[in-house]
Amino acid sequence: MCPSQLWTVPGEPVKTDKNSRRGNWGNQIEFILTSVGYAVGLGNVWRFPYLCYRNGGGAFMFPYFIMLVFCGIPLFFLELSFGQFASQGCLGVWRISPMFKGVGYGMMVVSTYIGIYYNVVICIAFYYFFSSMTNLLPWTYCNNPWNTPTCNGVVTPRGINNTLANVTRSLVTGAAEVAVEVVNKTKRTSPSEEYWKHYVLQISDDIGNFGEVRLPILGCLAVSWVVVFLCLIRGVKSSGKVVYFTATFPYVVLTILFIRGITLEGAVTGIKYYLTPQWHKILDAKVWGDAASQIFYSLGCAWGGLITMASYNKFHNNCYRDSIIISITNCATSVYAGFVIFSILGFMAHHLNVDVSEVADHGPGLAFVAYPEALTLLPISPLWSLLFFFMLILLGLGTQFCLLETLVTAIVDEIGTDWIVRNKTVVTGGVAIVGFLLGVPLTTQAGIYWLLLMDNYAASFSLVIISCIMCICIMYVYGHKKYFKDVEMMLGFPPPIFFRVCWRFVSPIIISFILIFTVIQYKPITYNDYVYPGWSLAIGFLMAMSSVICIPIYALYKIAKSEGTTFLERLKNSCKPDMKWGPALSEHRIGLYATPGSEGEVEVRPLKEELREKEKEDEKRDEISLTIQGSNGSTEHNTTPSA
């Protein structure tokens, strides 16, 4: 029996904050951990430390935290409150102004693109994780069939045929012997880079030359999707339990790697490169642009995931508190990961007798080339490699859970039938299968080209446009005063004045700045020395536009379907909130949202309306009483009904 149908006192139903039909998080810790897992992803490890180093070290922290306070946290709070108030996914929330539902479809398109290539990155991490289950990492030496004559490792191969103890000893002593030779080479190719290119990817020479499907990577992709599906098989009920491990264990691994890293020779040098302030760079607009972009993309704004995760909260949950906790945790993780990365890179640079800048990298180059190579210098290197790639897998899965749940929730909420709600697992499985099939081309020999193309274009300026339109719709089309009252009704207090100002003015201005900065700083994508052909860049722009184009197309469709004789009337009606907009449960629909309750739910109506209906019932009761008395021959008549 539904909790809302239970009765403790006759005539007084028990109010519940649970959405029994749609489901809720088991507790608030599950929501916070899931959101942390969503926000804290691979970019925190392989992008932020490099950006910080490149943009002035410690000086970059200043614009980074300024952007966090004035853009990151306000947008995070806006999306959480938006989804929690309506208890709907990224499509259902646009009952607030139906004409803008195309923004929700744009979010779905973006999440689809990211979900496809993100799981391919996870599957490659799986591949490296399995490859690390050996006594000697396969990218340690240059004596493998896939190596070229230009290969030169950081570890001498002299002890390769000796016992494991001799090999371990050579990890420390051998680097010094090859350092001079490495420096003198005009072009050094590391064994980890050749393992990545020639063995794992078997990369082709052009984005149009797909070659064959790399079966080991395809198998790992299947494993990735099966893991994601099993963790989401019961929606938030199952994923909420999984995140207790997936969202917390990466911090254990980071701490282990950090402790190991700072004890190495040269680690201090690497950390100095990471943190040493270059204050003159604060005056560079590019530094501020990078800080704003990193905050925006790192928190996952405009993907639809924040709205979706918050929609499973109880109505009166304090999402204001949650937004601050999650945002600060995300940024603190980025800073912490920088120590882990640069302590190891500093150690590697020390052994090679080169500058840290020559070994620093970002993206796949850091995760699958530079860092794995540095790990070969450590004693018991397979252990550290296992930990590192296991951490990458968990960081990726935390984000992937939310991306898949975003799509599934949007589909289930939009169709909304009892059958599809009961069979949500079928929808989850269907979306996972489609995601796997769409990811197959990325496992070919040209897959890395397409992966980077999607990463650079599918979720770039389109996210900024989506977020900007969302702010404009809520604050200016729906109305900031109404939304502030909605938040107050939900939380019990209005949004602090700082957030009201940011939502209306500051955040949209910063978002516009990010968009302008993205356009000005645009450079055609390259991969190492490979320059992408024009037709592939055109496909990239089409991917970027495919999410944005949803907004005007649906707006025109909604205007055409709206009532009205003139265009302005139709436009006005299409912008009005839908009758279903508001809290999902009847017990929360008070004031402007009060509606007659359905069976099994608490009916909440204004007090005056209840009093008027009570008066009418009393009048009818008195009239019936007079009629009965007259038929019995009673001489007592009361022509004035009691109040």
Side-chain angles (χ1 to χ4, degrees), residues 78-324:
L78 179 64
E79 291 201 30
L80 291 190
S81 60
F82 194 24
Q84 181 174 306
F85 182 79
S87 296
Q88 290 287 312
C90 63
L91 289 182
V93 290
W94 294 102
R95 292 170 180 170
I96 191 173
S97 184
M99 190 184 83
F100 289 88
K101 191 175 182 179
V103 176
Y105 284 111
M107 290 177 172
M108 285 187 67
V109 172
V110 168
S111 292
T112 301
Y113 286 140
I114 298 174
I116 291 169
Y117 78 77
Y118 212 81
N119 226 14
V120 174
V121 177
I122 297 172
C123 89
I124 296 175
F126 264 114
Y127 185 89
Y128 270 78
F129 177 76
F130 295 140
S131 299
S132 301
M133 296 179 179
T134 178
N135 292 332
L136 184 68
L137 294 176
W139 56 86
T140 303
Y141 298 119
C142 292
N143 58 348
N144 302 289
W146 59 82
N147 290 127
T148 65
T150 60
C151 178
N152 194 297
V154 295
V155 180
T156 178
R158 285 189 310 175
I160 192 167
N161 294 320
N162 296 337
T163 62
L164 180 61
N166 290 334
V167 171
T168 304
R169 239 186 340 265
S170 71
L171 299 181
V172 180
T173 61
E177 298 176 11
V178 299
V180 176
E181 183 183 354
V182 169
V183 173
N184 291 334
K185 278 186 175 288
T186 56
K187 181 175 176 61
R188 172 183 174 269
T189 306
S190 68
S192 60
E193 183 178 356
E194 294 199 346
Y195 179 78
W196 163 248
K197 286 184 177 181
H198 304 319
Y199 185 76
V200 178
L201 301 179
Q202 293 186 10
I203 190 169
S204 65
D205 58 354
D206 186 71
I207 188 172
N209 182 14
F210 283 91
E212 62 183 17
V213 172
R214 294 285 295 119
L215 293 180
I217 298 179
L218 182 65
C220 290
L221 181 63
V223 170
S224 299
W225 276 110
V226 169
V227 170
V228 172
F229 169 71
L230 291 177
C231 292
L232 288 174
I233 195 167
R234 296 181 60 228
V236 295
K237 294 183 183 297
S238 56
S239 66
K241 303 299 182 289
V242 174
V243 293
Y244 280 104
F245 178 73
T246 60
T248 57
F249 194 72
Y251 291 96
V252 176
V253 178
L254 276 174
T255 302
I256 293 172
L257 292 175
F258 172 68
I259 293 172
R260 185 67 187 99
I262 59 174
T263 60
L264 297 171
E265 194 174 2
V268 175
T269 305
I271 293 174
K272 282 181 179 179
Y273 265 85
Y274 171 51
L275 290 180
T276 301
Q278 301 174 40
W279 294 110
H280 66 278
K281 288 195 174 184
I282 285 187
L283 301 177
D284 187 352
K286 187 178 186 304
V287 172
W288 289 84
D290 279 344
S293 299
Q294 177 62 17
I295 283 290
F296 186 84
Y297 296 122
S298 175
L299 290 174
C301 298
W303 292 14
L306 298 178
I307 293 173
T308 302
M309 295 303 105
S311 71
Y312 292 103
N313 279 333
K314 293 180 180 178
F315 184 72
H316 293 298
N317 169 65
N318 189 348
C319 59
Y320 165 65
R321 172 203 61 203
D322 295 343
S323 63
I324 295 175

Side-chain angles (χ1 to χ4, degrees), residues 384-438:
W384 308 114
S385 182
L386 282 169
L387 286 173
F388 176 71
F389 288 111
F390 189 53
M391 178 189 70
L392 290 187
I393 290 168
L394 294 182
L395 288 174
L397 287 176
T399 302
Q400 189 68 17
F401 291 159
C402 296
L403 290 170
L404 183 59
E405 185 62 42
T406 297
L407 298 174
V408 173
T409 298
I411 294 170
V412 172
D413 286 349
E414 184 67 9
I415 298 175
T417 62
D418 291 336
W419 183 90
I420 203 165
V421 171
R422 288 194 306 269
N423 295 276
K424 186 178 178 181
T425 302
V426 177
V427 180
T428 305
V431 174
I433 291 172
V434 172
F436 168 74
L437 295 176
L438 292 175

Side-chain angles (χ1 to χ4, degrees), residues 295-554:
I295 283 290
F296 186 84
Y297 296 122
S298 175
L299 290 174
C301 298
W303 292 14
L306 298 178
I307 293 173
T308 302
M309 295 303 105
S311 71
Y312 292 103
N313 279 333
K314 293 180 180 178
F315 184 72
H316 293 298
N317 169 65
N318 189 348
C319 59
Y320 165 65
R321 172 203 61 203
D322 295 343
S323 63
I324 295 175
I325 292 174
I326 298 165
S327 300
I328 292 177
T329 301
N330 171 71
C331 295
T333 304
S334 297
V335 176
Y336 187 37
F339 286 93
V340 176
I341 298 299
F342 273 87
S343 61
I344 296 290
L345 293 182
F347 167 65
M348 180 179 174
H350 173 77
H351 271 272
L352 288 174
N353 196 26
V354 297
D355 196 80
V356 176
S357 61
E358 294 188 30
V359 296
D361 203 348
H362 68 289
L366 172 67
F368 302 117
V369 178
Y371 204 84
E373 182 181 19
L375 293 177
T376 62
L377 291 165
L378 299 177
I380 326 175
S381 54
L383 172 64
W384 308 114
S385 182
L386 282 169
L387 286 173
F388 176 71
F389 288 111
F390 189 53
M391 178 189 70
L392 290 187
I393 290 168
L394 294 182
L395 288 174
L397 287 176
T399 302
Q400 189 68 17
F401 291 159
C402 296
L403 290 170
L404 183 59
E405 185 62 42
T406 297
L407 298 174
V408 173
T409 298
I411 294 170
V412 172
D413 286 349
E414 184 67 9
I415 298 175
T417 62
D418 291 336
W419 183 90
I420 203 165
V421 171
R422 288 194 306 269
N423 295 276
K424 186 178 178 181
T425 302
V426 177
V427 180
T428 305
V431 174
I433 291 172
V434 172
F436 168 74
L437 295 176
L438 292 175
V440 171
L442 302 185
T443 64
T444 63
Q445 291 176 279
I448 189 65
Y449 298 122
W450 290 99
L451 189 152
L452 294 175
L453 187 73
M454 295 179 73
D455 185 40
N456 278 270
Y457 289 92
S460 55
F461 67 86
S462 55
L463 285 178
V464 184
I465 295 173
I466 288 172
S467 186
C468 189
I469 293 176
M470 182 179 68
C471 286
I472 292 171
C473 173
I474 297 174
M475 291 295 109
Y476 297 100
V477 178
Y478 176 67
H480 63 277
K481 291 182 179 179
K482 286 194 287 186
Y483 191 74
F484 296 160
K485 289 181 180 178
D486 290 343
V487 174
E488 183 176 6
M489 182 175 81
M490 179 173 64
L491 301 182
F493 58 88
I497 188 169
F498 171 78
F499 287 91
R500 284 180 272 170
V501 172
C502 284
W503 287 348
R504 292 185 64 195
F505 307 110
V506 181
S507 295
I509 291 173
I510 293 177
I511 294 171
S512 302
F513 166 71
I514 297 173
L515 179 60
I516 295 170
F517 169 78
T518 304
V519 173
I520 293 174
Q521 293 292 324
Y522 170 75
K523 292 180 181 178
I525 181 176
T526 60
Y527 178 57
N528 294 333
D529 297 328
Y530 177 75
V531 178
Y532 280 68
W535 62 267
S536 64
L537 298 179
I539 292 176
F541 278 110
L542 287 176
M543 283 193 290
M545 292 304 299
S546 62
S547 55
V548 177
I549 201 67
C550 295
I551 301 172
I553 288 177
Y554 190 87

